[in-house]
Amino acid sequence: MSADHDHDHDAHSHAAHSYAEWHTTPPPDIQLRIKAMESLLVEMGVIDPAMLDGIVDFYERQVGPRNGARIVARAWADPEFKQRLLADPAAAVAELGMPGISGDHVVMVENTPETHNMIVCTLCSCYPWQTMGLPPVWFKSAAYRSRAVSHPRDVLREFGVDLPPATSVKVWDSTADTRYMILPMRPAGTDGLSEDQLADLVTRDSMIGTGLPLEPAP
Amino acid sequence: MSSLHNLGGMQGFGPVWTTEEGTAFHTEDERRVFGMMMGLMAAGWGDTDGFRDAVETLQPRIYARECFPMNYFLGLEKQLAERGLVLPGDLEAWMQGAKPEGRPAAPPVIVPTESEPPEPARFAVGDRVKVATIDRQGHNRLPGYLRGQVGTITADRGHVDFPDALATREGRRPHPVYTVEFLAREVWGNPAAGDDRISAEIFQAYIEGKAS
């Protein structure tokens, strides 16, 4: 396998490619092998193309950060739900009745004025798929995985989050089966908002801990 | 020993690119490889820790390219070759129209189904514990930056199949896991870290013992 050519380019030199495309576009010879492997496995009867389409569709259209946002919005709107969510995420998530979405192995971590939490997987790319879908490309990157644990405040600044010095940072490295999801603090000025309007303020990054929820429109 | 995937605390990778749009897949290759990974796991030809091991042991210059579907594909290719389904040369032959013959119809039993009795838990919430100082060989889930560090157990996560044994296909060995909290200023020797903390899941086998 000659996977070693064509990748000593710097990501920034690929003007036509976004960062995400650069990290998700294999060299042409590998692309050919990927197609060949898929067709061979189908020919051998090992995998079923309809099943693969179903899996891809599930992660593309049904699971994603909007599910996580609904969970957070419900927790903001309903203090009793929030207590259940913190105590038993799987049971609380099941109450929302999102098809195929489970809170198994998910632990909710609540941000407070005293402690800001963020998640990382320094060893690979563990992420709460169950409630948030697949991770963004940067979450899998060496740049994030190396420094999220050693220089979290610098990383947060790169995301535009400048924490007050009095707020301590706690970084959760997902190294076994538990998957963490952050419950961000409800923004001020959102008292009159519906649960749907609240969900619109919950960004993916705010549930990773590298962002804060959006402010409500004035 | 540590390989390149054990990234916590390394330097030199530059700032994090934070501008990505949130889509599940960005290219057709990413879609295809993800579908194959999930399909192979569902069919019993793949498993999480064996797959992680295959990716972690790619040549560092390939791993460091950070082309994720390529890395995952090469890991998957390595696993399928080890398991005798798609051998080296098979894909080249298939691209010429020749289907490999005599391949196994069913996956090997990756993990024996009979479980050993679970390893008893030796620690409890509140214990101060010292993470093993000596590095572990082969696939494991101990972040290198926590070796030799002392932390406090904040949660007992029950038993999880021991990844080191899953990767080598020794078997399913339910093993205690704890959430352990560390002070960042001690881990990095940086007083400026104040009260910042790091929390990680630590398997009992990675713990040297109670710290005084």
Side-chain angles (χ1 to χ4, degrees), chain A residues 16-50:
Chain A
H17 281 217
S18 72
Y19 166 86
E21 281 170 344
W22 162 250
H23 288 285
T24 55
T25 305
D29 58 328
I30 298 291
Q31 291 183 351
L32 285 176
R33 297 182 72 82
I34 290 170
K35 283 196 187 104
M37 180 68 89
E38 189 186 56
S39 68
L40 177 57
L41 293 173
V42 169
E43 174 69 22
M44 289 171 135
V46 172
I47 56 175
D48 169 8

Side-chain angles (χ1 to χ4, degrees), chain B residues 127-143:
Chain B
D127 284 353
R128 298 263 298 156
V129 292
K130 184 178 183 190
V131 176
T133 311
I134 299 171
D135 207 347
R136 297 185 69 82
Q137 305 286 312
H139 174 73
N140 65 81
R141 297 291 293 176
L142 173 59

Side-chain angles (χ1 to χ4, degrees), chain A residues 29-190:
Chain A
D29 58 328
I30 298 291
Q31 291 183 351
L32 285 176
R33 297 182 72 82
I34 290 170
K35 283 196 187 104
M37 180 68 89
E38 189 186 56
S39 68
L40 177 57
L41 293 173
V42 169
E43 174 69 22
M44 289 171 135
V46 172
I47 56 175
D48 169 8
M51 184 189 161
L52 296 199
D53 288 345
I55 292 169
V56 166
D57 182 75
F58 180 73
Y59 284 99
E60 199 146 49
R61 297 179 204 286
Q62 296 180 53
V63 191
R66 298 327 302 158
N67 298 110
R70 278 189 57 196
I71 297 167
V72 170
R74 174 66 59 87
W76 285 349
D78 179 347
E80 288 178 8
F81 176 81
K82 179 177 141 185
Q83 291 314 312
R84 293 198 295 280
L85 181 66
L86 293 171
D88 185 353
V93 168
E95 289 177 32
L96 296 181
M98 294 182 273
I101 311 302
S102 102
D104 288 354
H105 301 293
V106 175
V107 167
M108 300 292 302
V109 181
E110 186 185 11
N111 278 347
T112 64
E114 293 76 35
T115 306
H116 179 88
N117 297 278
M118 58 192 267
I119 60 173
V120 64
C121 171
T122 61
L123 296 176
C124 53
S125 54
C126 298
Y127 187 77
W129 288 18
Q130 299 94 322
T131 52
M132 286 173 62
L134 299 178
V137 170
W138 58 256
F139 187 84
K140 305 191 269 189
S141 72
Y144 183 71
R145 286 159 54 194
S146 59
R147 286 164 61 244
V149 284
S150 63
H151 295 84
R153 287 172 194 269
D154 293 348
V155 170
L156 285 169
R157 270 190 284 273
E158 284 157 23
F159 280 88
V161 177
D162 210 350
L163 292 177
T167 302
S168 74
V169 178
K170 186 165 172 183
V171 182
W172 299 77
D173 192 354
S174 311
T175 49
D177 280 14
T178 306
R179 299 290 174 265
Y180 295 98
M181 179 178 145
I182 308 304
L183 177 57
M185 285 191 288
R186 180 171 175 163
T190 55

Side-chain angles (χ1 to χ4, degrees), chain A residues 4 7 12 23-24 33 38-39 52 60 122 137 142 145-146 149 153 158 169-171 173 175 180, chain B residues 5 9 16-17 20 27 31-32 35 61 63 65-66 68 77 92 94 145 181 188 196-197 199 201:
Chain A
D4 55 337
H7 42 83
H12 302 272
H23 288 285
T24 55
R33 297 182 72 82
E38 189 186 56
S39 68
L52 296 199
E60 199 146 49
T122 61
V137 170
R145 286 159 54 194
S146 59
V149 284
R153 287 172 194 269
E158 284 157 23
V169 178
K170 186 165 172 183
V171 182
D173 192 354
T175 49
Y180 295 98
Chain B
H5 75 283
V16 181
W17 196 290
E20 178 203 344
T27 59
R31 257 187 213 93
R32 279 179 202 279
R61 70 196 161 93
Y63 188 92
R65 157 68 171 80
E66 296 196 276
F68 299 109
E77 198 176 47
E92 287 78 1
W94 175 240
Y145 69 92
E181 188 176 290
W188 308 112
D196 290 356
R197 286 156 291 164
S199 186
E201 314 295 300

Side-chain angles (χ1 to χ4, degrees), chain B residues 74-98:
Chain B
L74 294 175
L76 175 158
E77 198 176 47
K78 197 155 70 172
Q79 267 201 304
L80 291 183
E82 281 164 9
R83 287 158 195 193
L85 185 68
V86 180
L87 299 177
D90 281 358
L91 279 189
E92 287 78 1
W94 175 240
M95 286 190 263
Q96 302 300 316

